[in-house]
Amino acid sequence: MPSGKIDKPIIQDNRDGTVSVKYDPREEGSHELVVKYNGEPVQGSPFKFHVDSITSGYVTAYGPGLTHGVTGEPANFTISTKGASAGGLTMAVEGPSKADINYHDNKDGTVSVQYLPTAPGEYQVSVRFGDKHIKGSPYFAKITGEGRKRNQISVGSCSEVTMPGDITDDDLRALNASIQAPSGLEEPCFLKRMPTGNIGISFTPREIGEHLVSVKRLGKHINNSPFKVTVCEREVGDAKKVKVSGNGLKEGQTHADNVFSVDTRNAGFGGLSVSIEGPSKAEIQCTDKDDGTLNISYKPTEPGYYIVNLKFADHHVEGSPFTVKVAGEGSNRKREKIQRERDAVPITEIGSQCKLTFKMPGITSFDLAACVTSPSNVTEDAEIQEVEDGLYSVHFVPKELGVHTVSVRYSEMHIPGSPFQFTVGPLRDSGSHLVKAGGSGLERGIVGEAAEFNVWTREAGGGSLAISVEGPSKADIEFKDRKDGSCDVSYKVSEPGEYRVGLKFNDRHIPDSPFKVYISPDAGDAHKLEVQQFPQGNIQADAPYQFMVRKNGAKGELDAKIVAPSGTDDDCFIQVIDGEMYSVRFYPRENGIHAIHVKFNGVHIPDSPFRIKVGKDVADPAAVHASGNGLDDVKTGHKADFIINTCNAGVGTLAVSIDGPSKVAMDCTEVEEGYKVRYTPLLPGEHYITVKYNNMHIVGSPFKVHATGDKLADEGAQETSTVIVETVQKVAKGGKNTGVHLPNFKSDATKVVSKGMGLKKAYMGKQNQFSICATDAGNNILYVGMHGPKGPCEELHVKHAGHNNYNVQYLVRDRGQYVLLIKWGEEHIPGSPFQIDV
């Protein structure tokens, strides 16, 4: 109690797995409630609260933004003025970063306040009324980095060797190198330009003796390759010689930097990796000291036991993994979880009706389109039906066995979750890495409104799906099984702030889980705003575009930002045109799908964030394929590789990461049909390889690869290695059968029927037309061409009207005789070539 006395509340067991704590306060002021279970504080204990007397008439403040928050996301709290006018209020926030403050008088005796911290640390929030601090002010809010439960950092130190011969920069990109140790262990290594201008090779030495370095261009050794490198004893990284010291490995405090130091000076060359696991994701920082040692600090936000893995050259240093007990206050987050068993879906046969369902409320079905690509690379349109309001199903009839790709696009952009994998016949694999989830409820939400998303478990087989929502308030989760291997989930929360939605299948997180969702306060006036003249059609990078936002009587501030595919964000330029209209100007700088976030008083306006496609040849993840023995079973210590084919997939950012029992050395080089990724696993076990194109998984990603063989490194926490490449345009070369395989068309040109005036005679300067029906003629490509007395005709349009019916229009400028060719595949249709008089 404020007086320092201790008071015991009443604890009642509700006999249903919950306990009620009741308390009758007798003093005014700041109280601390300590809750322990078996002597250990529960998460968030001690809880602080302020007790006020009913009659005091004081101004009070409450809300999460007074105690905790997350960098880069608004922290909210409310001031209750109890009838006093809001005019006398002043607010200030001081801390590690400048925090912009916005507030809104709710006209009901309360004021909503929001500030945006951009750096972690402790912020002092003062609220004054008429020059005097209100009760409890100043408040101290602890702002944490974001919250996944594990964090890792790597610091590399590599041995460098200079290579004979001179090499141009263009060559450097086309070369790849690998090094073979005396024991036969072969790993990729890296080439880089040295300050002297020569080319250096950097690698982590693991053994003493003579190593062979091979440098190849397009699979052939270059001059002088392979050449020999001798590694002596003091160069090999030896984890036993690494010295660690400091209190941070024995005990720690929450919300503080816990420091320890690492001395690798006598331990040879090797990479140092630190990972910390525990009740919260601890922020890790590493600084070099002048004497060649390192200081490492970590900052957890929840009390409890943490495990610190410290590895050097892929082996644990003496004493690792360390267990550290962290004491102090937590950040008081609530968690709700439901679990449902999922049955495996019956096997699909060739020729049967297949369907894939998804829920996407509030869109027009007119802009939805779906297509299915079969294992032999034939793509056909699929039919979309609206089952009930906002629930859609894609229907198709497969003609072959194997993994099909189903792409569902809304106004030409993949919906969340697309492209989907759909297996016809028995499933080849099962497990959490094949579960997909997507929907607006994994991106954003509003207090008190159901946030919805889809989960597709069909490809993962049977198992248990656990859904958890953790954040400032308890979530109400609802689950509806659609009985076809998909389900829809919705949840509602009562407090704004940052939530984490975790999806686990058979106790393993699905790809990209946990999802970070920011739930904004009740929409207020934001729902009144509407967007007009939003840019349509062909949008190019490095050019300005604008749209209008109409206020419709809403009061407040508008702000907008554009988020590029690479994740960088940029402010939009906003101008007030008159009392009702704003113009918002944005300037995309990359190709790909951008999101434009438009917020009013900090709340997304309807349909925000708006997705917009920039550039013509935008990267399509459905057109990227990965193949090769490096995606099947691999052996430790042996180099594995696979090819990512980006032919005809536009340009974009390709990101490959390998999550496995230890870090792997990997590199990515350009080859004719795309990119080749090479890696060497060091520990047996499951490795998950994620391939994303412009931040979207390609089909089949993440791939599960099983490694067998000896252990060449120490086991510790899961570790991730990543490589990112900005791709260049790749087009399949014809004739060499690379890249695109033409589908095997089965067609009969004699069954094509053509009709219309435009096949007999035409008029200058007018649109002449005719139609072609190939419904009964199988599948093929339609070729139409026209040539006249002075060369080709001016323009010719072919429009597919569905089911292989085509409408053709053409325009001619010269008199005389024209020849019109119409072919279905390689063969002329009946009547072709036609002779037309103009």
Side-chain angles (χ1 to χ4, degrees):
M1 288 153 64
S3 59
K5 292 187 189 143
I6 289 176
D7 203 358
K8 274 274 192 322
I10 302 160
I11 300 180
Q12 281 179 347
D13 190 344
N14 303 329
R15 303 247 174 266
D16 62 358
T18 67
V19 175
S20 295
V21 179
K22 295 188 176 163
Y23 177 58
D24 207 355
R26 298 196 291 275
E27 297 181 7
E28 267 185 60
S30 186
H31 290 60
E32 274 193 15
L33 172 69
V34 181
V35 186
K36 291 188 174 177
Y37 186 70
N38 288 345
E40 283 290 328
V42 306
Q43 199 170 327
S45 170
F47 304 94
K48 286 189 173 159
F49 57 93
H50 188 83
V51 174
D52 196 5
S53 70
I54 297 170
T55 57
S56 72
Y58 278 116
V59 179
T60 53
Y62 57 91
L66 297 175
T67 55
H68 61 276
V70 176
T71 57
E73 295 190 357
N76 296 290
F77 63 92
T78 305
I79 301 171
S80 160
T81 57
K82 292 201 184 147
S85 82
L89 281 175
T90 53
M91 288 154 277
V93 178
E94 293 167 51
S97 74
K98 179 172 152 293
D100 294 330
I101 307 176
N102 291 310
Y103 62 93
H104 179 248
D105 189 347
N106 301 326
K107 302 281 188 272
D108 58 0
T110 64
V111 177
S112 299
V113 185
Q114 191 179 65
Y115 64 94
L116 186 69
T118 54
E122 189 167 66
Y123 286 71
Q124 179 176 321
V125 182
S126 349
V127 181
R128 293 188 175 86
F129 184 70
D131 288 347
K132 289 216 332 242
H133 276 290
I134 69 168
K135 280 208 170 174
S137 166
Y139 302 87
F140 291 96
K142 300 195 169 73
I143 304 294
T144 61
E146 85 240 329
R148 227 175 77 216
K149 306 297 189 197
R150 186 187 93 205
N151 207 355
Q152 62 173 43
I153 186 170
S154 303
V155 187
S157 89
C158 291
S159 173
E160 285 169 356
V161 187
T162 322
M163 203 165 83
D166 53 339
I167 288 171
T168 65
D169 276 349
D170 285 348
D171 271 357
L172 197 56
R173 281 197 286 280
L175 296 179
N176 60 36
S178 56
I179 184 158
Q180 191 171 13
S183 68
L185 167 73
E186 192 178 6
E187 286 189 284
C189 56
F190 301 99
L191 299 173
K192 61 184 203 189
R193 177 93 43 209
M194 306 288 277
T196 56
N198 293 17
I199 296 297
I201 299 164
S202 74
F203 65 98
T204 300
R206 300 177 194 281
E207 304 171 20
I208 304 170
E210 201 164 81
H211 291 56
L212 271 187
V213 177
S214 315
V215 181
K216 294 181 178 177
R217 179 186 297 112
L218 299 176
K220 294 192 182 65
H221 283 285
I222 66 165
N223 290 348
N224 306 332
S225 168
F227 55 87
K228 296 183 173 134
V229 174
T230 308
V231 174
C232 62
E233 186 180 358
R234 63 187 173 75
E235 293 174 316
V236 176
D238 183 355
K240 294 190 192 66
K241 294 183 179 158
V242 175
K243 299 195 181 73
V244 289
S245 58
N247 218 16
L249 290 174
K250 303 186 187 78
E251 58 188 8
Q253 281 293 327
T254 56
H255 310 297
D257 285 324
N258 302 288
V259 187
F260 57 92
S261 70
V262 180
D263 180 354
T264 58
R265 285 176 298 188
N266 303 323
F269 291 103
L272 180 72
S273 71
V274 185
S275 77
I276 297 183
E277 281 177 81
S280 70
K281 179 170 175 170
E283 202 182 321
I284 308 176
Q285 282 176 340
C286 173
T287 44
D288 279 314
K289 291 208 302 230
D290 297 343
D291 59 0
T293 62
L294 292 172
N295 263 357
I296 293 173
S297 70
Y298 63 95
K299 192 174 188 175
T301 57
E302 299 286 351
Y305 287 98
Y306 286 74
I307 293 167
V308 180
N309 283 290
L310 202 54
K311 286 175 163 185
F312 183 73
D314 298 305
H315 290 277
H316 283 287
V317 310
E318 200 87 25
S320 169
F322 302 87
T323 308
V324 182
K325 185 177 177 181
V326 172
E329 291 176 30
S331 59
N332 184 19
R333 291 168 72 81
K334 320 260 186 311
R335 188 170 170 172
E336 182 63 15
K337 179 177 155 190
I338 63 169
Q339 192 153 345
R340 296 284 184 275
E341 290 307 313
R342 310 287 293 150
D343 297 332
V345 178
I347 291 179
T348 316
E349 302 301 341
I350 292 180
S352 65
Q353 268 288 349
C354 292
K355 73 169 186 172
L356 182 141
T357 55
F358 61 94
K359 199 165 181 180
M360 229 175 141
I363 61 167
T364 49
S365 52
F366 179 71
D367 289 334
L368 277 172
C371 62
V372 180
T373 304
S374 71
S376 69
N377 217 0
V378 179
T379 301
E380 293 188 340
D381 286 342
E383 182 190 2
I384 297 186
Q385 294 177 355
E386 186 158 11
V387 185
E388 55 183 69
D389 192 31
L391 182 64
Y392 300 89
S393 58
V394 179
H395 293 263
F396 64 99
V397 177
K399 303 187 183 64
E400 32 186 312
L401 287 173
V403 176
H404 291 59
T405 303
V406 182
S407 296
V408 184
R409 293 182 173 85
Y410 179 62
S411 50
E412 296 188 11
M413 295 179 271
H414 284 280
I415 68 166
S418 172
F420 299 95
Q421 177 175 317
F422 196 104
T423 304
V424 177
L427 295 178
R428 303 190 179 170
D429 194 2
S430 62
S432 64
H433 62 293
L434 294 167
V435 178
K436 288 213 142 177
S440 63
L442 293 176
E443 296 161 16
R444 60 186 186 280
I446 294 178
V447 166
E449 290 184 22
E452 297 183 297
F453 60 91
N454 299 282
V455 182
W456 295 273
T457 58
R458 179 188 185 279
E459 293 291 301
S464 74
L465 177 69
I467 301 162
S468 66
V469 180
E470 180 183 310
S473 69
K474 199 168 135 105
D476 188 6
I477 308 177
E478 282 187 16
F479 177 94
K480 196 157 148 204
D481 192 351
R482 297 196 287 247
K483 295 282 182 263
D484 60 354
S486 69
C487 52
D488 52 79
V489 181
S490 76
Y491 62 95
K492 262 187 203 165
V493 295
S494 57
E495 293 270 340
E498 184 205 279
Y499 287 77
R500 280 213 307 276
V501 180
L503 294 171
K504 283 186 166 182
F505 189 75
N506 290 344
D507 266 354
R508 222 194 115 87
H509 275 293
I510 73 164
D512 303 325
S513 167
F515 299 87
K516 206 166 114 185
V517 183
Y518 179 68
I519 303 284
S520 54
D522 182 23
D525 271 357
H527 66 90
K528 294 183 183 169
L529 275 75
E530 57 180 317
V531 164
Q532 295 171 343
Q533 300 167 26
F534 197 75
Q536 299 293 333
N538 185 355
I539 297 201
Q540 295 300 328
D542 293 320
Y545 293 90
Q546 63 172 2
F547 58 93
M548 304 301 195
V549 179
R550 195 184 186 92
K551 284 165 80 171
N552 292 331
K555 300 263 188 294
E557 288 293 313
L558 188 76
D559 68 282
K561 65 174 182 178
I562 177 167
V563 182
S566 63
T568 53
D569 57 355
D570 201 359
D571 289 335
C572 300
F573 181 69
I574 299 178
Q575 258 179 320
V576 181
I577 293 180
D578 58 35
E580 271 295 286
M581 293 289 263
Y582 288 105
S583 90
V584 179
R585 202 172 73 188
F586 61 95
Y587 195 90
R589 294 175 195 284
E590 312 176 11
N591 279 337
I593 291 173
H594 291 59
I596 298 178
H597 296 252
V598 184
K599 290 184 176 178
F600 190 70
N601 295 339
V603 180
H604 280 285
I605 72 170
D607 300 329
S608 167
F610 300 91
R611 287 159 56 114
I612 190 164
K613 187 169 162 181
V614 177
K616 280 205 282 292
D617 45 359
V618 168
D620 181 5
V624 179
H625 302 284
S627 59
N629 56 11
L631 295 175
D632 304 328
D633 288 349
V634 295
K635 285 198 164 64
T636 58
H638 291 262
K639 205 167 71 211
D641 59 54
F642 58 93
I643 298 247
I644 300 171
N645 182 326
T646 59
C647 281
N648 304 340
V651 292
T653 306
L654 180 69
V656 184
S657 62
I658 302 184
D659 200 36
S662 80
K663 276 192 119 46
V664 298
M666 72 177 201
D667 74 344
C668 176
T669 45
E670 198 175 315
V671 289
E672 195 169 4
E673 64 269 49
Y675 294 85
K676 183 180 193 174
V677 177
R678 304 178 307 152
Y679 68 98
T680 303
L682 299 171
L683 282 176
E686 306 293 8
H687 290 65
Y688 290 89
I689 301 183
T690 305
V691 182
K692 283 184 170 186
Y693 202 48
N694 265 5
N695 226 354
M696 285 189 273
H697 286 278
I698 71 164
V699 181
S701 161
F703 301 87
K704 181 162 103 177
V705 177
H706 190 74
T708 52
D710 300 333
K711 294 184 182 176
L712 304 172
D714 286 354
E715 289 167 278
Q718 283 277 319
E719 295 194 74
T720 308
S721 320
T722 306
V723 52
I724 294 179
V725 187
E726 293 297 335
T727 66
V728 294
Q729 185 82 32
K730 293 279 181 183
V731 179
K733 305 257 194 300
K736 283 172 56 187
N737 253 348
T738 51
V740 179
H741 299 291
L742 271 181
N744 303 330
F745 290 121
K746 294 186 180 56
S747 69
D748 178 358
T750 59
K751 300 228 171 109
V752 180
V753 183
S754 56
K755 55 175 188 270
M757 257 320 280
L759 292 169
K760 301 183 186 69
K761 64 192 288 197
Y763 297 94
M764 282 165 50
K766 291 236 168 54
Q767 289 284 2
N768 304 284
Q769 48 191 353
F770 59 90
S771 64
I772 301 170
C773 170
T775 309
D776 304 328
N779 258 343
N780 216 315
I781 296 172
L782 178 70
Y783 297 97
V784 185
M786 194 164 176
H787 201 272
K790 295 187 182 170
C793 84
E794 291 290 315
E795 49 179 83
L796 193 144
H797 290 285
V798 181
K799 176 109 173 114
H800 180 221
H803 301 295
N804 283 346
N805 284 308
Y806 299 88
N807 293 324
V808 184
Q809 290 190 336
Y810 63 91
L811 186 69
V812 288
R813 290 269 160 84
D814 300 313
R815 287 169 202 274
Q817 281 201 337
Y818 278 74
V819 179
L820 170 71
L821 298 183
I822 304 177
K823 289 172 136 188
W824 186 236
E826 299 296 307
E827 289 161 28
H828 285 280
I829 72 162
S832 168
F834 297 85
Q835 187 169 331
I836 297 170
D837 290 321
V838 176

